[in-house]
Coordinates of all heavy atoms in Angstrom, one line a residue:
M22 N 62.2 9.2 -69.2 CA 60.8 8.9 -68.9 C 60.2 8.2 -70.1 O 60.8 7.2 -70.6 CB 60.1 10.2 -68.6 CG 58.8 10.1 -67.9 SD 59.1 9.2 -66.4 CE 57.5 9.4 -65.7
D23 N 59.1 8.6 -70.6 CA 58.4 7.9 -71.7 C 59.3 8.0 -73.0 O 59.9 9.0 -73.3 CB 57.1 8.5 -72.0 CG 56.0 8.3 -70.9 OD1 56.2 7.2 -70.3 OD2 55.2 9.1 -70.7
G24 N 59.4 6.8 -73.6 CA 60.2 6.7 -74.8 C 61.7 6.5 -74.6 O 62.4 6.2 -75.5
E25 N 62.1 6.6 -73.3 CA 63.5 6.3 -73.0 C 63.8 5.0 -72.5 O 62.9 4.4 -71.8 CB 63.9 7.4 -71.9 CG 63.9 8.8 -72.2 CD 64.4 9.7 -71.2 OE1 64.9 9.2 -70.2 OE2 64.2 10.9 -71.2
V26 N 65.0 4.4 -72.9 CA 65.3 3.2 -72.3 C 66.0 3.4 -70.9 O 66.9 4.3 -70.8 CB 66.4 2.4 -73.2 CG1 66.9 1.1 -72.6 CG2 65.7 2.2 -74.6
R27 N 65.6 2.7 -69.9 CA 66.1 2.8 -68.6 C 66.9 1.6 -68.2 O 66.3 0.5 -68.3 CB 65.0 3.0 -67.6 CG 64.4 4.4 -67.7 CD 63.4 4.6 -66.6 NE 62.9 6.0 -66.6 CZ 62.1 6.5 -65.8 NH1 61.8 5.7 -64.7 NH2 61.7 7.7 -65.9
E28 N 68.0 1.7 -67.6 CA 68.7 0.5 -67.1 C 68.4 0.4 -65.7 O 68.2 1.3 -64.9 CB 70.3 0.7 -67.2 CG 70.8 0.7 -68.7 CD 72.3 0.8 -68.7 OE1 73.0 0.3 -67.8 OE2 72.8 1.3 -69.7
E29 N 68.3 -0.9 -65.2 CA 68.0 -1.2 -63.9 C 69.0 -2.3 -63.4 O 69.4 -3.1 -64.2 CB 66.5 -1.7 -63.8 CG 65.5 -0.6 -64.0 CD 64.0 -1.1 -63.8 OE1 63.9 -2.2 -63.2 OE2 63.2 -0.4 -64.2
R30 N 69.3 -2.3 -62.1 CA 70.1 -3.3 -61.6 C 69.4 -4.6 -61.6 O 68.2 -4.7 -61.4 CB 70.4 -3.0 -60.1 CG 71.4 -1.9 -60.0 CD 72.0 -1.8 -58.5 NE 71.1 -2.2 -57.5 CZ 71.3 -2.0 -56.3 NH1 72.3 -1.2 -55.9 NH2 70.5 -2.4 -55.3
P31 N 70.2 -5.7 -61.8 CA 69.6 -7.0 -61.8 C 69.0 -7.2 -60.4 O 69.6 -6.8 -59.4 CB 70.7 -8.0 -62.1 CG 71.8 -7.1 -62.5 CD 71.6 -5.8 -62.1
P32 N 67.9 -8.0 -60.3 CA 67.3 -8.3 -59.0 C 68.1 -9.4 -58.2 O 69.0 -10.0 -58.9 CB 65.9 -8.8 -59.3 CG 66.0 -9.3 -60.7 CD 67.0 -8.4 -61.4
S33 N 67.9 -9.4 -56.9 CA 68.6 -10.4 -56.2 C 68.1 -11.9 -56.4 O 67.0 -12.0 -57.0 CB 68.4 -10.2 -54.7 OG 67.1 -10.4 -54.3
P34 N 68.9 -12.8 -56.1 CA 68.3 -14.2 -56.2 C 67.0 -14.4 -55.4 O 66.2 -15.2 -55.9 CB 69.5 -15.1 -55.7 CG 70.7 -14.3 -55.9 CD 70.3 -12.8 -55.7
E35 N 66.9 -13.8 -54.3 CA 65.7 -14.0 -53.5 C 64.5 -13.4 -54.3 O 63.4 -14.0 -54.3 CB 65.8 -13.3 -52.2 CG 64.6 -13.4 -51.3 CD 64.2 -14.9 -50.9 OE1 64.9 -15.8 -51.2 OE2 63.2 -14.9 -50.2
H36 N 64.7 -12.3 -55.0 CA 63.6 -11.7 -55.9 C 63.2 -12.8 -56.9 O 62.0 -13.0 -57.1 CB 64.2 -10.5 -56.5 CG 63.3 -9.7 -57.5 ND1 62.9 -8.5 -57.2 CD2 62.8 -10.1 -58.6 CE1 62.2 -8.1 -58.2 NE2 62.1 -9.1 -59.1
G37 N 64.2 -13.4 -57.5 CA 63.9 -14.3 -58.6 C 63.2 -15.6 -58.0 O 62.3 -16.2 -58.7
R38 N 63.6 -16.0 -56.8 CA 63.0 -17.2 -56.2 C 61.6 -16.9 -55.9 O 60.7 -17.7 -56.2 CB 63.7 -17.5 -54.9 CG 63.2 -18.8 -54.3 CD 63.7 -19.0 -52.8 NE 63.1 -18.0 -51.9 CZ 61.8 -18.1 -51.4 NH1 60.9 -19.0 -51.9 NH2 61.3 -17.2 -50.6
I39 N 61.2 -15.8 -55.4 CA 59.8 -15.5 -55.0 C 59.0 -15.3 -56.3 O 58.0 -15.8 -56.5 CB 59.8 -14.2 -54.1 CG1 60.2 -14.6 -52.8 CG2 58.3 -13.7 -54.1 CD1 60.3 -13.4 -51.7
A40 N 59.5 -14.6 -57.4 CA 58.8 -14.5 -58.6 C 58.6 -15.9 -59.2 O 57.5 -16.2 -59.7 CB 59.6 -13.6 -59.6
G41 N 59.6 -16.7 -59.1 CA 59.5 -18.2 -59.6 C 58.4 -18.9 -58.8 O 57.6 -19.7 -59.4
E42 N 58.3 -18.6 -57.5 CA 57.2 -19.3 -56.7 C 55.9 -18.8 -57.0 O 54.9 -19.6 -57.2 CB 57.5 -19.1 -55.2 CG 56.6 -19.9 -54.3 CD 56.9 -21.3 -54.3 OE1 58.1 -21.8 -54.4 OE2 55.9 -22.1 -54.2
V43 N 55.7 -17.5 -57.3 CA 54.4 -16.9 -57.7 C 54.0 -17.6 -59.1 O 52.8 -18.0 -59.3 CB 54.5 -15.4 -57.9 CG1 53.2 -14.9 -58.4 CG2 54.8 -14.7 -56.5
F44 N 55.0 -17.6 -60.0 CA 54.7 -18.2 -61.4 C 54.3 -19.7 -61.1 O 53.3 -20.1 -61.8 CB 55.9 -18.1 -62.2 CG 55.7 -18.8 -63.6 CD1 54.9 -18.4 -64.5 CD2 56.4 -20.0 -63.7 CE1 54.7 -19.1 -65.7 CE2 56.3 -20.8 -64.8 CZ 55.4 -20.4 -65.9
F45 N 55.0 -20.4 -60.4 CA 54.8 -21.8 -60.2 C 53.4 -22.1 -59.7 O 52.6 -22.9 -60.2 CB 55.8 -22.4 -59.2 CG 55.5 -23.8 -58.8 CD1 55.7 -24.9 -59.8 CD2 55.1 -24.2 -57.6 CE1 55.5 -26.2 -59.4 CE2 54.9 -25.4 -57.2 CZ 55.1 -26.5 -58.1
R46 N 52.9 -21.3 -58.7 CA 51.6 -21.5 -58.1 C 50.5 -21.1 -59.1 O 49.4 -21.8 -59.2 CB 51.4 -20.6 -56.8 CG 52.4 -21.0 -55.7 CD 52.3 -22.5 -55.4 NE 53.3 -22.9 -54.4 CZ 53.2 -23.9 -53.6 NH1 52.1 -24.6 -53.5 NH2 54.2 -24.2 -52.8
I47 N 50.7 -20.0 -59.9 CA 49.7 -19.7 -60.9 C 49.7 -20.7 -62.0 O 48.6 -21.1 -62.5 CB 50.0 -18.3 -61.5 CG1 49.8 -17.2 -60.5 CG2 49.2 -18.0 -62.8 CD1 50.2 -15.8 -60.8
R48 N 50.9 -21.2 -62.4 CA 50.9 -22.3 -63.4 C 50.2 -23.6 -63.0 O 49.5 -24.2 -63.7 CB 52.4 -22.6 -63.7 CG 52.7 -23.6 -64.8 CD 52.3 -23.0 -66.2 NE 52.4 -23.9 -67.2 CZ 51.4 -24.7 -67.7 NH1 50.2 -24.5 -67.2 NH2 51.7 -25.6 -68.6
L49 N 50.3 -23.9 -61.7 CA 49.7 -25.1 -61.2 C 48.1 -24.9 -61.3 O 47.4 -25.8 -61.7 CB 50.0 -25.4 -59.7 CG 51.3 -26.0 -59.4 CD1 51.6 -26.1 -57.9 CD2 51.5 -27.4 -60.1
W50 N 47.7 -23.7 -61.0 CA 46.3 -23.4 -61.0 C 45.8 -23.5 -62.5 O 44.7 -23.9 -62.9 CB 46.1 -22.0 -60.4 CG 44.7 -21.4 -60.6 CD1 43.6 -21.7 -59.9 CD2 44.3 -20.4 -61.6 NE1 42.5 -21.0 -60.3 CE2 42.9 -20.2 -61.3 CE3 44.9 -19.8 -62.6 CZ2 42.1 -19.3 -62.1 CZ3 44.2 -18.9 -63.3 CH2 42.8 -18.7 -63.1
L51 N 46.6 -23.0 -63.5 CA 46.3 -23.0 -64.9 C 46.2 -24.4 -65.4 O 45.5 -24.7 -66.3 CB 47.3 -22.2 -65.7 CG 47.2 -20.7 -65.5 CD1 48.3 -20.0 -66.2 CD2 45.9 -20.2 -66.2
E52 N 47.0 -25.3 -64.9 CA 46.9 -26.7 -65.3 C 45.5 -27.3 -65.0 O 45.0 -28.1 -65.7 CB 47.9 -27.6 -64.6 CG 49.4 -27.3 -65.2 CD 50.4 -28.2 -64.6 OE1 50.1 -29.2 -64.0 OE2 51.6 -27.9 -64.7
E53 N 44.9 -26.8 -63.9 CA 43.6 -27.3 -63.6 C 42.5 -26.5 -64.3 O 41.5 -27.1 -64.8 CB 43.4 -27.2 -62.0 CG 44.2 -28.1 -61.2 CD 43.9 -27.8 -59.7 OE1 42.8 -27.3 -59.4 OE2 44.8 -28.1 -59.0
T54 N 42.6 -25.2 -64.5 CA 41.5 -24.4 -65.0 C 41.6 -24.2 -66.5 O 40.6 -23.9 -67.1 CB 41.5 -23.0 -64.3 OG1 42.8 -22.3 -64.6 CG2 41.4 -23.1 -62.8
K55 N 42.8 -24.3 -67.0 CA 43.0 -24.0 -68.4 C 42.5 -22.7 -68.9 O 41.9 -22.5 -70.0 CB 42.4 -25.1 -69.3 CG 42.7 -26.6 -68.8 CD 43.7 -27.2 -69.6 CE 43.9 -28.7 -69.2 NZ 44.6 -29.0 -68.1
L56 N 42.6 -21.6 -68.1 CA 42.0 -20.4 -68.4 C 42.9 -19.3 -69.1 O 42.5 -18.2 -69.5 CB 41.5 -19.6 -67.1 CG 40.3 -20.4 -66.4 CD1 39.9 -19.7 -65.1 CD2 39.1 -20.4 -67.4
G57 N 44.1 -19.7 -69.3 CA 45.0 -18.8 -70.1 C 46.4 -19.2 -70.0 O 46.8 -20.4 -69.8
M58 N 47.3 -18.2 -70.0 CA 48.8 -18.5 -70.0 C 49.4 -17.5 -69.0 O 49.0 -16.3 -69.0 CB 49.3 -18.3 -71.4 CG 50.7 -18.5 -71.6 SD 51.3 -18.5 -73.4 CE 51.2 -16.7 -73.7
A59 N 50.5 -18.0 -68.4 CA 51.3 -17.1 -67.4 C 52.7 -17.2 -67.9 O 53.2 -18.1 -68.6 CB 51.2 -17.5 -66.1
G60 N 53.5 -16.2 -67.5 CA 54.9 -16.1 -67.9 C 55.6 -15.2 -66.9 O 55.0 -14.6 -66.0
V61 N 57.0 -15.2 -67.0 CA 57.8 -14.4 -66.3 C 58.5 -13.4 -67.2 O 58.8 -13.6 -68.4 CB 58.9 -15.2 -65.5 CG1 58.3 -16.1 -64.5 CG2 59.7 -16.0 -66.4
E62 N 58.5 -12.1 -66.7 CA 59.0 -11.0 -67.4 C 58.4 -10.9 -68.8 O 57.3 -11.3 -68.9 CB 60.6 -11.1 -67.5 CG 61.2 -11.1 -66.0 CD 62.7 -10.9 -66.0 OE1 63.3 -11.0 -67.1 OE2 63.2 -10.8 -64.9
G63 N 59.0 -10.3 -69.7 CA 58.3 -10.1 -71.1 C 57.7 -8.7 -71.1 O 57.2 -8.3 -70.1
G64 N 57.9 -8.1 -72.3 CA 57.4 -6.7 -72.4 C 56.0 -6.5 -72.9 O 55.5 -7.3 -73.6
F65 N 55.3 -5.6 -72.2 CA 53.9 -5.2 -72.6 C 53.9 -3.7 -72.9 O 54.4 -2.9 -72.1 CB 53.0 -5.5 -71.3 CG 52.7 -6.9 -71.1 CD1 53.6 -7.7 -70.4 CD2 51.6 -7.5 -71.7 CE1 53.4 -9.1 -70.2 CE2 51.3 -8.9 -71.4 CZ 52.3 -9.7 -70.7
V66 N 53.5 -3.4 -74.0 CA 53.5 -1.9 -74.5 C 52.1 -1.4 -73.9 O 51.0 -1.8 -74.3 CB 53.4 -1.8 -76.0 CG1 53.3 -0.4 -76.4 CG2 54.6 -2.4 -76.6

Side-chain angles (χ1 to χ4, degrees):
M22 198 59 172
D23 288 332
E25 294 179 14
V26 176
R27 291 185 175 185
E28 288 187 32
E29 294 185 9
R30 283 192 335 195
S33 71
E35 180 65 1
H36 178 115
R38 184 194 69 75
I39 289 176
E42 189 67 39
V43 172
F44 170 75
F45 174 71
R46 298 303 173 152
I47 291 172
R48 184 72 183 97
L49 286 176
W50 174 79
L51 286 171
E52 285 182 17
E53 292 179 21
T54 64
K55 315 255 189 282
L56 291 178
M58 180 174 73
V61 294
E62 299 187 355
F65 289 82
V66 181

